[in-house]
Amino acid sequence: PSRYPEGNMTRFLNDTAGNAPMIIKIFGPCSNPSVYVGENEYSVNTGLSAGDYGMIDQRDKSIIHVSQSGARSNVFHLRKKSVDNFRPAPPGALSVNCSGQFACEVTFLTQRSEPEWNYH
């Protein structure tokens, strides 16, 4: 994973045959942050203090606020309902961009039907 500061866009290649689920972390301080992966917006209507982060985990469809002290709160109800926060990244070249003055970290997860090291 990499962190992308505000105003910084990077390109990512999902070279798998299918969609890739993601874990998106947004680091405070910020208010109502949005992250864009390709054409899709991922957004939570909440504020994060310095040292806090929000996490959208597409594996279990959760949205969590983690405070600087490590306390975890479920903020699923604060998701921006007009966007699909759980849409995985499609195959191909994608841009990743944060809006607002915060940093984000996007982890693309590769799923396989069998281990890469499987020998036949």
Side-chain angles (χ1 to χ4, degrees):
S2 297
R3 285 192 186 183
Y4 308 109
E6 178 266 329
N8 192 7
M9 183 176 71
T10 192
R11 303 285 290 169
F12 173 81
L13 177 63
N14 176 8
D15 60 359
T16 63
N19 295 333
M22 299 175 285
I23 298 172
I24 301 170
K25 290 184 181 178
I26 301 167
F27 299 90
C30 60
S31 180
N32 302 326
S34 293
V35 175
Y36 296 85
V37 178
E39 298 293 317
N40 203 49
E41 176 184 359
Y42 302 87
S43 186
V44 183
N45 296 319
T46 190
L48 299 170
S49 299
D52 293 359
Y53 69 89
M55 181 172 63
I56 299 170
D57 190 335
Q58 294 183 341
R59 295 172 300 180
D60 61 5
K61 294 192 176 354
S62 64
I63 303 177
I64 304 295
H65 176 189
V66 181
S67 72
Q68 187 173 9
S69 68
R72 299 169 66 91
S73 304
N74 179 353
V75 292
F76 181 85
H77 63 287
L78 297 176
R79 72 195 183 284
K80 186 174 180 181
K81 294 176 177 76
S82 62
V83 302
D84 184 358
N85 280 300
F86 303 109
R87 178 181 292 166
L94 302 166
S95 61
V96 177
N97 194 9
C98 297
S99 71
Q101 296 185 352
F102 60 90
C104 67
E105 178 180 284
V106 179
T107 304
F108 296 84
L109 306 170
T110 303
Q111 297 180 319
R112 299 181 176 277
S113 58
E114 58 184 46
E116 186 174 18
W117 48 262
N118 194 357
Y119 297 101
H120 293 283

mmCIF file of all heavy atoms in Angstrom, residues 56-109:
data_model
loop_
_atom_site.group_PDB
_atom_site.id
_atom_site.type_symbol
_atom_site.label_atom_id
_atom_site.label_comp_id
_atom_site.label_asym_id
_atom_site.label_seq_id
_atom_site.Cartn_x
_atom_site.Cartn_y
_atom_site.Cartn_z
ATOM 1 N N ILE A 56 -12.420 1.834 5.214
ATOM 2 C CA ILE A 56 -13.453 1.122 4.469
ATOM 3 C C ILE A 56 -12.841 -0.216 4.091
ATOM 4 O O ILE A 56 -11.850 -0.267 3.359
ATOM 5 C CB ILE A 56 -13.865 1.902 3.204
ATOM 6 C CG1 ILE A 56 -14.437 3.273 3.578
ATOM 7 C CG2 ILE A 56 -14.863 1.094 2.377
ATOM 8 C CD1 ILE A 56 -14.645 4.210 2.394
ATOM 9 N N ASP A 57 -13.402 -1.303 4.608
ATOM 10 C CA ASP A 57 -12.889 -2.644 4.340
ATOM 11 C C ASP A 57 -13.920 -3.397 3.517
ATOM 12 O O ASP A 57 -14.977 -3.776 4.025
ATOM 13 C CB ASP A 57 -12.590 -3.377 5.644
ATOM 14 C CG ASP A 57 -11.837 -4.677 5.446
ATOM 15 O OD1 ASP A 57 -11.942 -5.280 4.348
ATOM 16 O OD2 ASP A 57 -11.159 -5.102 6.393
ATOM 17 N N GLN A 58 -13.630 -3.586 2.251
ATOM 18 C CA GLN A 58 -14.589 -4.226 1.355
ATOM 19 C C GLN A 58 -14.706 -5.729 1.596
ATOM 20 O O GLN A 58 -15.679 -6.340 1.155
ATOM 21 C CB GLN A 58 -14.211 -3.940 -0.097
ATOM 22 C CG GLN A 58 -14.359 -2.474 -0.437
ATOM 23 C CD GLN A 58 -14.064 -2.182 -1.880
ATOM 24 O OE1 GLN A 58 -13.432 -2.950 -2.590
ATOM 25 N NE2 GLN A 58 -14.539 -1.031 -2.337
ATOM 26 N N ARG A 59 -13.767 -6.334 2.298
ATOM 27 C CA ARG A 59 -13.855 -7.771 2.578
ATOM 28 C C ARG A 59 -15.076 -8.096 3.424
ATOM 29 O O ARG A 59 -15.773 -9.071 3.163
ATOM 30 C CB ARG A 59 -12.591 -8.267 3.280
ATOM 31 C CG ARG A 59 -11.348 -8.177 2.419
ATOM 32 C CD ARG A 59 -10.121 -8.500 3.220
ATOM 33 N NE ARG A 59 -9.997 -7.531 4.329
ATOM 34 C CZ ARG A 59 -9.013 -7.566 5.213
ATOM 35 N NH1 ARG A 59 -8.086 -8.486 5.148
ATOM 36 N NH2 ARG A 59 -8.954 -6.664 6.166
ATOM 37 N N ASP A 60 -15.332 -7.272 4.435
ATOM 38 C CA ASP A 60 -16.471 -7.544 5.318
ATOM 39 C C ASP A 60 -17.510 -6.423 5.290
ATOM 40 O O ASP A 60 -18.394 -6.379 6.136
ATOM 41 C CB ASP A 60 -15.998 -7.805 6.750
ATOM 42 C CG ASP A 60 -15.269 -6.630 7.375
ATOM 43 O OD1 ASP A 60 -15.193 -5.551 6.748
ATOM 44 O OD2 ASP A 60 -14.775 -6.777 8.504
ATOM 45 N N LYS A 61 -17.386 -5.522 4.316
ATOM 46 C CA LYS A 61 -18.324 -4.406 4.143
ATOM 47 C C LYS A 61 -18.483 -3.589 5.432
ATOM 48 O O LYS A 61 -19.578 -3.314 5.889
ATOM 49 C CB LYS A 61 -19.675 -4.900 3.643
ATOM 50 C CG LYS A 61 -19.599 -5.486 2.242
ATOM 51 C CD LYS A 61 -20.963 -5.692 1.669
ATOM 52 C CE LYS A 61 -21.039 -6.180 0.268
ATOM 53 N NZ LYS A 61 -19.930 -6.334 -0.559
ATOM 54 N N SER A 62 -17.327 -3.195 5.997
ATOM 55 C CA SER A 62 -17.350 -2.400 7.221
ATOM 56 C C SER A 62 -16.730 -1.029 6.981
ATOM 57 O O SER A 62 -15.897 -0.856 6.084
ATOM 58 C CB SER A 62 -16.600 -3.116 8.347
ATOM 59 O OG SER A 62 -15.225 -3.246 8.030
ATOM 60 N N ILE A 63 -17.166 -0.059 7.790
ATOM 61 C CA ILE A 63 -16.570 1.273 7.805
ATOM 62 C C ILE A 63 -16.313 1.599 9.274
ATOM 63 O O ILE A 63 -17.248 1.684 10.073
ATOM 64 C CB ILE A 63 -17.476 2.321 7.142
ATOM 65 C CG1 ILE A 63 -17.794 1.907 5.701
ATOM 66 C CG2 ILE A 63 -16.799 3.691 7.180
ATOM 67 C CD1 ILE A 63 -18.745 2.835 4.979
ATOM 68 N N ILE A 64 -15.046 1.764 9.614
ATOM 69 C CA ILE A 64 -14.620 1.891 11.006
ATOM 70 C C ILE A 64 -13.846 3.194 11.196
ATOM 71 O O ILE A 64 -13.064 3.592 10.334
ATOM 72 C CB ILE A 64 -13.696 0.706 11.398
ATOM 73 C CG1 ILE A 64 -14.376 -0.639 11.154
ATOM 74 C CG2 ILE A 64 -13.198 0.812 12.834
ATOM 75 C CD1 ILE A 64 -15.587 -0.895 12.013
ATOM 76 N N HIS A 65 -14.063 3.856 12.323
ATOM 77 C CA HIS A 65 -13.274 5.023 12.747
ATOM 78 C C HIS A 65 -12.352 4.528 13.850
ATOM 79 O O HIS A 65 -12.821 3.967 14.847
ATOM 80 C CB HIS A 65 -14.212 6.114 13.254
ATOM 81 C CG HIS A 65 -13.502 7.314 13.801
ATOM 82 N ND1 HIS A 65 -14.158 8.310 14.470
ATOM 83 C CD2 HIS A 65 -12.208 7.698 13.786
ATOM 84 C CE1 HIS A 65 -13.314 9.238 14.840
ATOM 85 N NE2 HIS A 65 -12.120 8.881 14.439
ATOM 86 N N VAL A 66 -11.047 4.721 13.666
ATOM 87 C CA VAL A 66 -10.062 4.317 14.667
ATOM 88 C C VAL A 66 -9.432 5.585 15.224
ATOM 89 O O VAL A 66 -8.820 6.367 14.488
ATOM 90 C CB VAL A 66 -8.983 3.385 14.064
ATOM 91 C CG1 VAL A 66 -7.989 2.962 15.140
ATOM 92 C CG2 VAL A 66 -9.633 2.165 13.416
ATOM 93 N N SER A 67 -9.603 5.800 16.539
ATOM 94 C CA SER A 67 -9.064 7.005 17.171
ATOM 95 C C SER A 67 -7.571 6.839 17.432
ATOM 96 O O SER A 67 -7.031 5.735 17.374
ATOM 97 C CB SER A 67 -9.792 7.293 18.491
ATOM 98 O OG SER A 67 -9.406 6.344 19.462
ATOM 99 N N GLN A 68 -6.928 7.937 17.732
ATOM 100 C CA GLN A 68 -5.498 7.928 18.015
ATOM 101 C C GLN A 68 -5.166 6.972 19.153
ATOM 102 O O GLN A 68 -4.110 6.349 19.167
ATOM 103 C CB GLN A 68 -5.024 9.346 18.360
ATOM 104 C CG GLN A 68 -3.537 9.486 18.497
ATOM 105 C CD GLN A 68 -3.118 10.934 18.656
ATOM 106 O OE1 GLN A 68 -3.936 11.832 18.824
ATOM 107 N NE2 GLN A 68 -1.825 11.172 18.605
ATOM 108 N N SER A 69 -6.094 6.793 20.096
ATOM 109 C CA SER A 69 -5.871 5.883 21.224
ATOM 110 C C SER A 69 -6.096 4.418 20.844
ATOM 111 O O SER A 69 -5.834 3.529 21.639
ATOM 112 C CB SER A 69 -6.806 6.251 22.384
ATOM 113 O OG SER A 69 -8.151 5.980 22.029
ATOM 114 N N GLY A 70 -6.619 4.173 19.631
ATOM 115 C CA GLY A 70 -6.871 2.804 19.179
ATOM 116 C C GLY A 70 -8.319 2.360 19.336
ATOM 117 O O GLY A 70 -8.666 1.253 18.931
ATOM 118 N N ALA A 71 -9.165 3.214 19.922
ATOM 119 C CA ALA A 71 -10.582 2.856 20.071
ATOM 120 C C ALA A 71 -11.239 2.786 18.696
ATOM 121 O O ALA A 71 -11.020 3.650 17.847
ATOM 122 C CB ALA A 71 -11.294 3.883 20.947
ATOM 123 N N ARG A 72 -12.029 1.744 18.469
ATOM 124 C CA ARG A 72 -12.680 1.520 17.173
ATOM 125 C C ARG A 72 -14.175 1.757 17.302
ATOM 126 O O ARG A 72 -14.798 1.268 18.229
ATOM 127 C CB ARG A 72 -12.409 0.096 16.692
ATOM 128 C CG ARG A 72 -10.923 -0.179 16.482
ATOM 129 C CD ARG A 72 -10.626 -1.648 16.269
ATOM 130 N NE ARG A 72 -11.175 -2.168 15.040
ATOM 131 C CZ ARG A 72 -10.538 -2.192 13.874
ATOM 132 N NH1 ARG A 72 -9.308 -1.739 13.794
ATOM 133 N NH2 ARG A 72 -11.114 -2.695 12.804
ATOM 134 N N SER A 73 -14.739 2.503 16.332
ATOM 135 C CA SER A 73 -16.172 2.778 16.304
ATOM 136 C C SER A 73 -16.721 2.422 14.930
ATOM 137 O O SER A 73 -16.115 2.755 13.911
ATOM 138 C CB SER A 73 -16.457 4.260 16.559
ATOM 139 O OG SER A 73 -15.897 4.691 17.762
ATOM 140 N N ASN A 74 -17.880 1.793 14.918
ATOM 141 C CA ASN A 74 -18.561 1.478 13.664
ATOM 142 C C ASN A 74 -19.236 2.753 13.171
ATOM 143 O O ASN A 74 -20.101 3.308 13.837
ATOM 144 C CB ASN A 74 -19.592 0.376 13.906
ATOM 145 C CG ASN A 74 -20.361 -0.009 12.670
ATOM 146 O OD1 ASN A 74 -20.254 0.616 11.623
ATOM 147 N ND2 ASN A 74 -21.156 -1.055 12.794
ATOM 148 N N VAL A 75 -18.850 3.224 11.959
ATOM 149 C CA VAL A 75 -19.465 4.430 11.392
ATOM 150 C C VAL A 75 -20.123 4.106 10.046
ATOM 151 O O VAL A 75 -20.264 4.981 9.187
ATOM 152 C CB VAL A 75 -18.448 5.594 11.261
ATOM 153 C CG1 VAL A 75 -18.034 6.100 12.636
ATOM 154 C CG2 VAL A 75 -17.240 5.193 10.439
ATOM 155 N N PHE A 76 -20.546 2.866 9.890
ATOM 156 C CA PHE A 76 -21.199 2.435 8.650
ATOM 157 C C PHE A 76 -22.374 3.348 8.307
ATOM 158 O O PHE A 76 -22.584 3.701 7.147
ATOM 159 C CB PHE A 76 -21.677 0.984 8.800
ATOM 160 C CG PHE A 76 -22.332 0.427 7.570
ATOM 161 C CD1 PHE A 76 -21.573 -0.131 6.554
ATOM 162 C CD2 PHE A 76 -23.710 0.445 7.426
ATOM 163 C CE1 PHE A 76 -22.179 -0.650 5.416
ATOM 164 C CE2 PHE A 76 -24.321 -0.065 6.299
ATOM 165 C CZ PHE A 76 -23.548 -0.622 5.291
ATOM 166 N N HIS A 77 -23.123 3.758 9.323
ATOM 167 C CA HIS A 77 -24.303 4.605 9.116
ATOM 168 C C HIS A 77 -23.942 6.003 8.603
ATOM 169 O O HIS A 77 -24.808 6.729 8.130
ATOM 170 C CB HIS A 77 -25.113 4.704 10.412
ATOM 171 C CG HIS A 77 -24.373 5.368 11.528
ATOM 172 N ND1 HIS A 77 -23.336 4.753 12.210
ATOM 173 C CD2 HIS A 77 -24.495 6.603 12.065
ATOM 174 C CE1 HIS A 77 -22.862 5.580 13.124
ATOM 175 N NE2 HIS A 77 -23.555 6.718 13.055
ATOM 176 N N LEU A 78 -22.652 6.381 8.657
ATOM 177 C CA LEU A 78 -22.218 7.698 8.190
ATOM 178 C C LEU A 78 -21.660 7.661 6.759
ATOM 179 O O LEU A 78 -21.170 8.674 6.263
ATOM 180 C CB LEU A 78 -21.157 8.270 9.135
ATOM 181 C CG LEU A 78 -21.629 8.527 10.567
ATOM 182 C CD1 LEU A 78 -20.474 8.995 11.434
ATOM 183 C CD2 LEU A 78 -22.771 9.529 10.578
ATOM 184 N N ARG A 79 -21.760 6.507 6.103
ATOM 185 C CA ARG A 79 -21.277 6.411 4.721
ATOM 186 C C ARG A 79 -22.108 7.325 3.837
ATOM 187 O O ARG A 79 -23.276 7.586 4.126
ATOM 188 C CB ARG A 79 -21.359 4.977 4.214
ATOM 189 C CG ARG A 79 -22.788 4.508 3.955
ATOM 190 C CD ARG A 79 -22.882 3.002 3.808
ATOM 191 N NE ARG A 79 -24.226 2.570 3.496
ATOM 192 C CZ ARG A 79 -25.229 2.503 4.362
ATOM 193 N NH1 ARG A 79 -25.039 2.856 5.616
ATOM 194 N NH2 ARG A 79 -26.430 2.098 3.971
ATOM 195 N N LYS A 80 -21.507 7.822 2.771
ATOM 196 C CA LYS A 80 -22.245 8.615 1.791
ATOM 197 C C LYS A 80 -23.106 7.642 0.998
ATOM 198 O O LYS A 80 -22.589 6.797 0.271
ATOM 199 C CB LYS A 80 -21.288 9.384 0.886
ATOM 200 C CG LYS A 80 -21.971 10.326 -0.062
ATOM 201 C CD LYS A 80 -20.941 11.151 -0.823
ATOM 202 C CE LYS A 80 -21.607 12.103 -1.775
ATOM 203 N NZ LYS A 80 -20.585 12.891 -2.519
ATOM 204 N N LYS A 81 -24.409 7.738 1.160
ATOM 205 C CA LYS A 81 -25.321 6.746 0.605
ATOM 206 C C LYS A 81 -25.510 6.853 -0.905
ATOM 207 O O LYS A 81 -25.998 5.924 -1.529
ATOM 208 C CB LYS A 81 -26.658 6.807 1.338
ATOM 209 C CG LYS A 81 -26.510 6.383 2.796
ATOM 210 C CD LYS A 81 -27.806 6.530 3.562
ATOM 211 C CE LYS A 81 -27.682 6.040 4.972
ATOM 212 N NZ LYS A 81 -26.976 6.913 5.870
ATOM 213 N N SER A 82 -25.094 7.959 -1.503
ATOM 214 C CA SER A 82 -25.260 8.118 -2.951
ATOM 215 C C SER A 82 -24.114 7.491 -3.744
ATOM 216 O O SER A 82 -24.113 7.535 -4.968
ATOM 217 C CB SER A 82 -25.399 9.594 -3.314
ATOM 218 O OG SER A 82 -24.223 10.296 -2.948
ATOM 219 N N VAL A 83 -23.115 6.917 -3.049
ATOM 220 C CA VAL A 83 -21.999 6.244 -3.722
ATOM 221 C C VAL A 83 -21.916 4.804 -3.230
ATOM 222 O O VAL A 83 -22.473 4.454 -2.191
ATOM 223 C CB VAL A 83 -20.655 6.977 -3.494
ATOM 224 C CG1 VAL A 83 -20.717 8.410 -3.979
ATOM 225 C CG2 VAL A 83 -20.229 6.924 -2.041
ATOM 226 N N ASP A 84 -21.216 3.965 -3.972
ATOM 227 C CA ASP A 84 -21.028 2.560 -3.589
ATOM 228 C C ASP A 84 -19.639 2.390 -2.988
ATOM 229 O O ASP A 84 -18.653 2.202 -3.703
ATOM 230 C CB ASP A 84 -21.213 1.650 -4.804
ATOM 231 C CG ASP A 84 -21.121 0.177 -4.461
ATOM 232 O OD1 ASP A 84 -20.876 -0.159 -3.281
ATOM 233 O OD2 ASP A 84 -21.299 -0.650 -5.382
ATOM 234 N N ASN A 85 -19.552 2.465 -1.653
ATOM 235 C CA ASN A 85 -18.280 2.329 -0.955
ATOM 236 C C ASN A 85 -17.696 0.919 -1.034
ATOM 237 O O ASN A 85 -16.554 0.716 -0.646
ATOM 238 C CB ASN A 85 -18.432 2.723 0.517
ATOM 239 C CG ASN A 85 -18.417 4.223 0.698
ATOM 240 O OD1 ASN A 85 -17.460 4.889 0.352
ATOM 241 N ND2 ASN A 85 -19.496 4.758 1.244
ATOM 242 N N PHE A 86 -18.462 -0.021 -1.530
ATOM 243 C CA PHE A 86 -18.005 -1.405 -1.556
ATOM 244 C C PHE A 86 -17.817 -1.941 -2.974
ATOM 245 O O PHE A 86 -17.668 -3.135 -3.178
ATOM 246 C CB PHE A 86 -18.963 -2.282 -0.748
ATOM 247 C CG PHE A 86 -19.079 -1.779 0.670
ATOM 248 C CD1 PHE A 86 -20.242 -1.177 1.113
ATOM 249 C CD2 PHE A 86 -18.005 -1.853 1.540
ATOM 250 C CE1 PHE A 86 -20.344 -0.680 2.409
ATOM 251 C CE2 PHE A 86 -18.087 -1.364 2.833
ATOM 252 C CZ PHE A 86 -19.263 -0.780 3.267
ATOM 253 N N ARG A 87 -17.790 -1.058 -3.960
ATOM 254 C CA ARG A 87 -17.528 -1.474 -5.339
ATOM 255 C C ARG A 87 -16.039 -1.773 -5.469
ATOM 256 O O ARG A 87 -15.203 -0.904 -5.248
ATOM 257 C CB ARG A 87 -17.919 -0.388 -6.325
ATOM 258 C CG ARG A 87 -17.607 -0.789 -7.783
ATOM 259 C CD ARG A 87 -17.972 0.283 -8.748
ATOM 260 N NE ARG A 87 -19.431 0.413 -8.757
ATOM 261 C CZ ARG A 87 -20.076 1.439 -9.304
ATOM 262 N NH1 ARG A 87 -19.417 2.419 -9.860
ATOM 263 N NH2 ARG A 87 -21.388 1.474 -9.283
ATOM 264 N N PRO A 88 -15.668 -2.999 -5.836
ATOM 265 C CA PRO A 88 -14.248 -3.328 -5.990
ATOM 266 C C PRO A 88 -13.650 -2.640 -7.213
ATOM 267 O O PRO A 88 -14.367 -2.166 -8.094
ATOM 268 C CB PRO A 88 -14.248 -4.848 -6.150
ATOM 269 C CG PRO A 88 -15.627 -5.205 -6.578
ATOM 270 C CD PRO A 88 -16.548 -4.132 -6.081
ATOM 271 N N ALA A 89 -12.333 -2.601 -7.260
ATOM 272 C CA ALA A 89 -11.627 -1.985 -8.380
ATOM 273 C C ALA A 89 -11.722 -2.893 -9.605
ATOM 274 O O ALA A 89 -11.413 -4.079 -9.518
ATOM 275 C CB ALA A 89 -10.165 -1.769 -8.013
ATOM 276 N N PRO A 90 -12.129 -2.351 -10.744
ATOM 277 C CA PRO A 90 -12.213 -3.156 -11.960
ATOM 278 C C PRO A 90 -10.817 -3.436 -12.531
ATOM 279 O O PRO A 90 -9.854 -2.748 -12.189
ATOM 280 C CB PRO A 90 -13.032 -2.280 -12.911
ATOM 281 C CG PRO A 90 -12.742 -0.889 -12.466
ATOM 282 C CD PRO A 90 -12.559 -0.972 -10.972
ATOM 283 N N PRO A 91 -10.697 -4.421 -13.411
ATOM 284 C CA PRO A 91 -9.400 -4.684 -14.047
ATOM 285 C C PRO A 91 -8.968 -3.504 -14.910
ATOM 286 O O PRO A 91 -9.801 -2.743 -15.403
ATOM 287 C CB PRO A 91 -9.671 -5.910 -14.926
ATOM 288 C CG PRO A 91 -10.982 -6.450 -14.505
ATOM 289 C CD PRO A 91 -11.731 -5.354 -13.826
ATOM 290 N N GLY A 92 -7.655 -3.364 -15.076
ATOM 291 C CA GLY A 92 -7.123 -2.329 -15.946
ATOM 292 C C GLY A 92 -6.416 -1.222 -15.190
ATOM 293 O O GLY A 92 -6.213 -1.299 -13.974
ATOM 294 N N ALA A 93 -6.018 -0.163 -15.922
ATOM 295 C CA ALA A 93 -5.329 0.986 -15.344
ATOM 296 C C ALA A 93 -6.332 1.890 -14.640
ATOM 297 O O ALA A 93 -7.379 2.218 -15.196
ATOM 298 C CB ALA A 93 -4.595 1.756 -16.429
ATOM 299 N N LEU A 94 -6.020 2.286 -13.406
ATOM 300 C CA LEU A 94 -6.912 3.116 -12.593
ATOM 301 C C LEU A 94 -6.139 4.273 -11.981
ATOM 302 O O LEU A 94 -4.977 4.109 -11.603
ATOM 303 C CB LEU A 94 -7.521 2.286 -11.459
ATOM 304 C CG LEU A 94 -8.315 1.055 -11.847
ATOM 305 C CD1 LEU A 94 -8.542 0.176 -10.627
ATOM 306 C CD2 LEU A 94 -9.642 1.471 -12.450
ATOM 307 N N SER A 95 -6.782 5.413 -11.842
ATOM 308 C CA SER A 95 -6.199 6.508 -11.079
ATOM 309 C C SER A 95 -6.698 6.396 -9.645
ATOM 310 O O SER A 95 -7.810 5.933 -9.396
ATOM 311 C CB SER A 95 -6.590 7.857 -11.686
ATOM 312 O OG SER A 95 -7.986 8.011 -11.666
ATOM 313 N N VAL A 96 -5.866 6.800 -8.703
ATOM 314 C CA VAL A 96 -6.232 6.844 -7.282
ATOM 315 C C VAL A 96 -5.958 8.253 -6.816
ATOM 316 O O VAL A 96 -4.848 8.770 -6.982
ATOM 317 C CB VAL A 96 -5.416 5.825 -6.458
ATOM 318 C CG1 VAL A 96 -5.750 5.946 -4.977
ATOM 319 C CG2 VAL A 96 -5.654 4.408 -6.953
ATOM 320 N N ASN A 97 -6.977 8.908 -6.236
ATOM 321 C CA ASN A 97 -6.839 10.304 -5.840
ATOM 322 C C ASN A 97 -7.640 10.569 -4.575
ATOM 323 O O ASN A 97 -8.746 10.069 -4.419
ATOM 324 C CB ASN A 97 -7.324 11.221 -6.972
ATOM 325 C CG ASN A 97 -6.915 12.656 -6.771
ATOM 326 O OD1 ASN A 97 -6.138 12.979 -5.890
ATOM 327 N ND2 ASN A 97 -7.462 13.531 -7.591
ATOM 328 N N CYS A 98 -7.070 11.376 -3.682
ATOM 329 C CA CYS A 98 -7.766 11.816 -2.474
ATOM 330 C C CYS A 98 -8.255 13.242 -2.704
ATOM 331 O O CYS A 98 -7.572 14.038 -3.328
ATOM 332 C CB CYS A 98 -6.830 11.825 -1.274
ATOM 333 S SG CYS A 98 -6.186 10.222 -0.832
ATOM 334 N N SER A 99 -9.433 13.562 -2.195
ATOM 335 C CA SER A 99 -9.913 14.940 -2.243
ATOM 336 C C SER A 99 -9.837 15.500 -0.831
ATOM 337 O O SER A 99 -10.001 14.772 0.136
ATOM 338 C CB SER A 99 -11.346 14.992 -2.760
ATOM 339 O OG SER A 99 -12.225 14.484 -1.792
ATOM 340 N N GLY A 100 -9.594 16.751 -0.706
ATOM 341 C CA GLY A 100 -9.488 17.354 0.614
ATOM 342 C C GLY A 100 -8.050 17.343 1.087
ATOM 343 O O GLY A 100 -7.151 16.877 0.399
ATOM 344 N N GLN A 101 -7.813 17.872 2.277
ATOM 345 C CA GLN A 101 -6.452 17.979 2.790
ATOM 346 C C GLN A 101 -6.174 16.862 3.778
ATOM 347 O O GLN A 101 -6.171 17.071 4.983
ATOM 348 C CB GLN A 101 -6.249 19.353 3.405
ATOM 349 C CG GLN A 101 -6.372 20.450 2.367
ATOM 350 C CD GLN A 101 -6.062 21.810 2.955
ATOM 351 O OE1 GLN A 101 -5.898 21.950 4.152
ATOM 352 N NE2 GLN A 101 -5.980 22.807 2.100
ATOM 353 N N PHE A 102 -5.929 15.673 3.238
ATOM 354 C CA PHE A 102 -5.640 14.507 4.057
ATOM 355 C C PHE A 102 -4.849 13.506 3.229
ATOM 356 O O PHE A 102 -4.703 13.659 2.022
ATOM 357 C CB PHE A 102 -6.935 13.869 4.586
ATOM 358 C CG PHE A 102 -7.855 13.401 3.488
ATOM 359 C CD1 PHE A 102 -7.759 12.115 2.985
ATOM 360 C CD2 PHE A 102 -8.814 14.250 2.953
ATOM 361 C CE1 PHE A 102 -8.602 11.682 1.970
ATOM 362 C CE2 PHE A 102 -9.659 13.832 1.947
ATOM 363 C CZ PHE A 102 -9.547 12.542 1.451
ATOM 364 N N ALA A 103 -4.349 12.495 3.885
ATOM 365 C CA ALA A 103 -3.637 11.413 3.202
ATOM 366 C C ALA A 103 -4.521 10.176 3.200
ATOM 367 O O ALA A 103 -5.391 10.013 4.068
ATOM 368 C CB ALA A 103 -2.317 11.111 3.910
ATOM 369 N N CYS A 104 -4.307 9.327 2.215
ATOM 370 C CA CYS A 104 -5.058 8.081 2.154
ATOM 371 C C CYS A 104 -4.117 6.940 1.785
ATOM 372 O O CYS A 104 -3.026 7.162 1.259
ATOM 373 C CB CYS A 104 -6.216 8.167 1.158
ATOM 374 S SG CYS A 104 -5.719 8.323 -0.558
ATOM 375 N N GLU A 105 -4.554 5.740 2.093
ATOM 376 C CA GLU A 105 -3.813 4.526 1.765
ATOM 377 C C GLU A 105 -4.812 3.551 1.154
ATOM 378 O O GLU A 105 -5.856 3.291 1.755
ATOM 379 C CB GLU A 105 -3.202 3.950 3.045
ATOM 380 C CG GLU A 105 -2.449 2.666 2.877
ATOM 381 C CD GLU A 105 -1.898 2.191 4.209
ATOM 382 O OE1 GLU A 105 -0.895 2.754 4.688
ATOM 383 O OE2 GLU A 105 -2.512 1.274 4.778
ATOM 384 N N VAL A 106 -4.522 3.053 -0.032
ATOM 385 C CA VAL A 106 -5.415 2.124 -0.715
ATOM 386 C C VAL A 106 -4.656 0.821 -0.920
ATOM 387 O O VAL A 106 -3.574 0.816 -1.518
ATOM 388 C CB VAL A 106 -5.898 2.686 -2.068
ATOM 389 C CG1 VAL A 106 -6.808 1.683 -2.771
ATOM 390 C CG2 VAL A 106 -6.622 4.014 -1.867
ATOM 391 N N THR A 107 -5.214 -0.271 -0.413
ATOM 392 C CA THR A 107 -4.624 -1.593 -0.578
ATOM 393 C C THR A 107 -5.547 -2.409 -1.461
ATOM 394 O O THR A 107 -6.716 -2.599 -1.137
ATOM 395 C CB THR A 107 -4.445 -2.296 0.791
ATOM 396 O OG1 THR A 107 -3.660 -1.468 1.646
ATOM 397 C CG2 THR A 107 -3.782 -3.648 0.621
ATOM 398 N N PHE A 108 -5.023 -2.856 -2.591
ATOM 399 C CA PHE A 108 -5.778 -3.702 -3.515
ATOM 400 C C PHE A 108 -5.487 -5.153 -3.146
ATOM 401 O O PHE A 108 -4.329 -5.529 -2.980
ATOM 402 C CB PHE A 108 -5.361 -3.420 -4.958
ATOM 403 C CG PHE A 108 -5.687 -2.025 -5.401
ATOM 404 C CD1 PHE A 108 -4.825 -0.968 -5.124
ATOM 405 C CD2 PHE A 108 -6.848 -1.761 -6.081
ATOM 406 C CE1 PHE A 108 -5.122 0.315 -5.520
ATOM 407 C CE2 PHE A 108 -7.153 -0.474 -6.494
ATOM 408 C CZ PHE A 108 -6.294 0.566 -6.206
ATOM 409 N N LEU A 109 -6.526 -5.955 -3.023
ATOM 410 C CA LEU A 109 -6.384 -7.340 -2.590
ATOM 411 C C LEU A 109 -6.589 -8.280 -3.784
ATOM 412 O O LEU A 109 -7.608 -8.202 -4.466
ATOM 413 C CB LEU A 109 -7.401 -7.660 -1.495
ATOM 414 C CG LEU A 109 -7.360 -6.702 -0.294
ATOM 415 C CD1 LEU A 109 -8.547 -6.934 0.608
ATOM 416 C CD2 LEU A 109 -6.068 -6.879 0.461
#
